[in-house]
């Protein structure tokens, strides 16, 4: 049903162009079947606007600390930035079957010991949810469930019931009476989310929205969802492995560098407190040709192992083979190694592999690659628990890389005791138990190895 002042129009989900009438092809970008019904009205666009705010000096703004509640699941708390903020909206995205419902039912069961919670399911029946909760051994006597898909009904219920924490599983199953399009369509998802976000902000309810991920890997429905919420979490994992990683791609109440790691087991998701094992291959003792680099993958630092094998070649053109790394980069590094450290490999085959199928494209990986190659060439392992990063310049200098502190912090967090890094990235004050080896030239590093 449309109210006065509202008007239906059609929006392309690819380019965002608006059209007054539906057609099979977007007139702007030419994509087929992308026009979706959308509601244009002043009320849908306004999340909260207070009339007549005056200008204030930042120093005079009263800073109330955000009330936070620990969810009881430490890995989740960490990703959220130290607990759940009241009135915040968290979007949890992930492939079907990855464990979103499991994680949130566990979270709510834990939260419901101290606050009033509500789990809204639009996908599964109440029996299915209860059965799972019982199987997981959760306290079901304080777990409150609701099966409903109309967002106006949900909000009516919530206004009278006043839960302090609310889970919507999933946003794609909801619909609003004000739109005619089917649940899960872009306009429905956006309208339902907008109404729920407004409710959460007005009533200081902590809100979790579950969102499915499309084949392309983005949240089904528009990216606008990501702009509407405070925190966007992605739940990822290899379906063939038990491990699941939760990471923040946006967080208004914390950093996006934290990673929460879980293992899916018989009794739901268990926390994994030492996840470095996932990305590093396990050696009982140090082996030649292996170096640990601190690279930034996406938005966060990650410890990744580089492996090199150097073997004498019988070919006139020795082989330079790389996996997870650009081949030209390796050729360049070998040239620098020859010219500035006097180590010749013109009669050697060189193979370099980045463990775990990670693709490294940033220059900060240079130094670790050089170290791995040198270590294999000399058949001498690099001292264990050493993390390495830095760019190698053509003049044989070790150039600084961005986010040096963050990389060091990541290495320290995972129990590394030694770091080889560019001199310009060396921290000014001594950092805890991490032994720092700041290098200016490649020759310094080779000498230290
Ligand atoms: P679920 O939370 O339903 O995924 P989502 O809501 O993201 O679609 O998780 C379902 C998967 O998790 C399912 O394939 C079975 C598995 N699982 C376990 O292995 N152990 C458990 O204790 C539970 C509850 C689920
Ligand atoms: Mg689910």
């Amino acid at each position: 049903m449309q109210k006065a002042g509202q008007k239906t129009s059609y929006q392309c989900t690819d380019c965002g162009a608006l059209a007054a009438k539906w057609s099979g092809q977007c007139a702007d970008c030419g994509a087929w079947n992308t026009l979706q019904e959308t509601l244009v009205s002043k009320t849908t666009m306004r999340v909260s606007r207070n009339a007549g705010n005056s200008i204030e000096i930042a120093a005079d703004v009263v800073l109330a600390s955000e009330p936070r509640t620990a969810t009881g699941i430490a890995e989740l708390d960490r990703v959220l930035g130290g607990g759940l903020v009241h009135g915040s909206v968290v979007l949890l995205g992930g492939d079907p079957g990855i464990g979103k419902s499991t994680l949130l039912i566990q979270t709510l069961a834990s939260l419901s010991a101290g606050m009033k919670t509500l789990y809204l399911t639009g996908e599964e029946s109440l029996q299915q949810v209860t059965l799972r909760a019982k199987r997981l051994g959760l306290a079901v006597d304080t777990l409150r469930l609701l099966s409903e898909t109309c967002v106006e009904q949900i909000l009516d219920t919530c206004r009278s019931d006043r839960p302090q924490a609310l889970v919507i599983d999933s946003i794609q199953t909801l619909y609003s009476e004000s739109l005619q399009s089917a649940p899960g369509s872009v306009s429905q998802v956006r309208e339902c989310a907008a109404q729920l976000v407004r409710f959460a902000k007005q009533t200081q309810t902590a809100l979790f929205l579950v969102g499915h991920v499309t084949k392309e890997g983005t949240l089904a429905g528009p990216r606008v969802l990501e702009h509407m919420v405070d925190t966007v979490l992605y739940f990822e994992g290899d379906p063939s492995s038990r491990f699941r990683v939760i990471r923040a791609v946006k967080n208004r109440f914390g950093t996006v560098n934290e990673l929460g790691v879980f293992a899916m087991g018989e009794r739901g998701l268990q926390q994994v407190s030492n996840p470095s094992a996932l990305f590093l291959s396990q050696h009982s003792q140090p082996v030649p040709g292996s170096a640990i680099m601190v690279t930034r993958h996406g938005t966060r630092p990650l410890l990744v192992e580089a492996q090199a094998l150097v073997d004498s070649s019988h070919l006139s053109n020795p082989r330079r083979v790389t996996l997870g790394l650009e081949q030209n980069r390796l050729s360049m590094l070998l040239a620098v190694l020859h010219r500035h450290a006097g180590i010749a490999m013109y009669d050697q085959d060189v193979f370099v592999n980045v463990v775990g199928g990670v693709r490294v494209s940033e220059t900060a990986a240079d130094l670790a690659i050089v170290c791995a190659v040198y270590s294999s060439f000399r058949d001498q392992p690099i001292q264990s628990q050493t993390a390495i990063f830095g760019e190698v310049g053509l003049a044989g200098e070790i150039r600084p890389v961005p986010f040096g502190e963050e990389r060091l912090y990541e290495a320290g967090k995972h129990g590394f005791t030694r770091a080889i890094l560019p001199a310009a990235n060396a921290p000014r004050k001594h950092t805890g138990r991490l032994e720092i080896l700041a290098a200016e030239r490649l020759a310094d590093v080779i000498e230290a190895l």
Side-chain angles (χ1 to χ4, degrees):
M1 244 198 359
Q2 280 192 19
K3 299 184 198 110
Q6 290 183 332
K7 154 169 152 254
T8 312
S9 91
Y10 296 86
Q11 188 167 25
C12 173
T13 53
D14 276 12
C15 68
L18 280 168
K21 274 205 277 184
W22 189 85
S23 71
Q25 188 182 25
C26 172
D28 250 49
C29 66
W32 287 94
N33 277 330
T34 53
L35 287 192
Q36 295 260 358
E37 181 194 24
T38 167
L39 204 66
V40 187
S41 82
K42 285 176 189 143
T43 46
T44 49
M45 303 313 290
R46 191 174 62 200
V47 173
S48 79
R49 186 189 292 162
N50 305 329
N53 279 347
S54 54
I55 297 169
E56 297 205 27
I57 306 294
D60 300 339
V61 175
V62 182
L63 292 179
S65 65
E66 298 136 5
R68 283 186 190 261
T69 308
T71 59
I73 298 181
E75 290 289 304
L76 180 64
D77 284 343
R78 194 146 52 126
V79 183
L80 288 173
L84 188 60
V85 178
H86 298 194
S88 72
V89 183
V90 179
L91 178 64
L92 179 66
D95 290 324
I98 200 85
K100 302 181 292 296
S101 308
T102 309
L103 176 67
L104 289 179
I105 197 93
Q106 285 180 268
T107 307
L108 265 208
S110 158
L111 278 174
S112 62
M115 57 163 74
K116 199 170 176 184
T117 62
L118 182 61
Y119 184 91
L120 180 126
T121 167
E123 279 179 3
E124 293 163 293
S125 66
L126 294 184
Q127 287 93 318
Q128 285 172 310
V129 177
T130 311
L131 244 152
R132 173 185 313 171
K134 282 208 164 135
R135 200 161 46 78
L136 296 178
L138 303 174
V140 282
D141 42 350
T142 47
L143 199 59
R144 291 157 11 104
L145 311 172
L146 172 68
S147 176
E148 175 63 68
T149 50
C150 172
V151 71
E152 281 84 10
Q153 291 282 347
I154 293 166
L155 289 177
D156 276 350
T157 310
C158 289
R159 272 188 201 104
S160 54
D161 183 67
R162 295 241 159 213
Q164 291 166 285
L166 173 65
V167 168
I168 305 286
D169 190 1
S170 66
I171 187 74
Q172 272 96 3
T173 55
L174 301 194
Y175 72 95
S176 161
E177 284 170 346
S178 60
L179 292 173
Q180 271 113 49
S181 48
S185 67
V186 178
S187 48
Q188 284 285 12
V189 167
R190 184 168 45 187
E191 173 64 17
C192 293
Q195 291 198 28
L196 288 164
V197 169
R198 212 174 312 152
F199 170 79
K201 296 288 169 203
Q202 281 163 358
T203 58
Q204 286 290 297
T205 309
L207 175 65
F208 284 99
L209 299 175
V210 172
H212 293 294
V213 167
T214 60
K215 284 195 271 334
E216 291 81 41
T218 53
L219 281 163
R223 282 212 85 125
V224 287
L225 264 191
E226 299 192 355
H227 299 293
M228 286 197 277
V229 302
D230 299 308
T231 305
V232 180
L233 305 180
Y234 272 95
F235 209 8
E236 297 167 347
D238 188 353
S240 60
S241 106
R242 302 190 301 124
F243 292 107
R244 305 279 186 270
V245 172
I246 190 165
R247 75 188 163 85
V249 290
K250 163 183 173 179
N251 194 354
R252 287 187 187 149
F253 302 111
T255 67
V256 289
N257 292 315
E258 298 295 352
L259 208 67
V261 183
F262 295 90
M264 180 66 91
E266 289 277 286
R267 309 207 52 194
L269 290 160
Q270 310 289 326
Q271 308 183 45
V272 178
S273 42
N274 179 22
S276 63
L278 286 182
F279 308 108
L280 307 174
S281 73
Q282 291 290 303
H283 304 293
S284 49
Q285 51 209 9
V287 291
S290 157
I292 312 294
M293 61 172 107
V294 195
T295 170
R296 274 175 67 86
H297 203 70
T299 51
R300 50 162 295 113
L302 201 65
L303 290 160
V304 179
E305 179 178 341
Q307 292 185 333
L309 179 71
V310 179
D311 193 18
S312 54
S313 177
H314 302 291
L315 303 170
S316 55
N317 250 341
R319 280 185 288 185
R320 306 281 180 253
V321 180
T322 57
L323 278 174
L325 180 82
E326 215 192 313
Q327 199 180 347
N328 287 343
R329 193 99 208 147
L330 176 63
S331 305
M332 192 199 88
L333 292 174
L334 293 179
V336 177
L337 200 57
H338 181 208
R339 183 70 178 70
H340 295 285
I343 295 151
M345 296 209 187
Y346 51 80
D347 54 353
Q348 307 281 331
D349 285 333
V350 181
F351 305 88
V352 175
N353 175 32
V354 182
V355 171
V358 188
R359 243 204 104 71
V360 177
S361 52
E362 59 157 16
T363 53
D366 289 356
L367 193 55
I369 305 285
V370 172
C371 291
V373 169
Y374 180 74
S375 156
S376 174
F377 181 63
R378 286 275 181 256
D379 204 22
Q380 270 176 9
I382 297 171
Q383 196 179 328
S384 66
Q385 304 300 333
T386 304
I388 305 168
F389 63 87
E391 180 178 342
V392 176
L394 287 179
E397 83 279 23
I398 309 293
R399 299 161 57 89
V401 295
F403 305 103
E405 298 242 335
E406 234 171 75
R407 293 177 208 258
L408 274 180
Y409 177 71
E410 182 77 7
K413 207 169 72 184
H414 287 111
F416 281 73
T417 51
R418 205 158 158 260
I420 304 179
L421 68 166
N425 275 123
R428 262 164 232 116
K429 58 181 187 341
H430 191 67
T431 48
R433 56 206 178 82
L434 214 56
E435 185 197 331
I436 305 284
L437 209 152
E440 297 248 13
R441 319 258 330 145
L442 186 59
D444 305 344
V445 179
I446 297 300
E447 201 175 308
L449 287 178

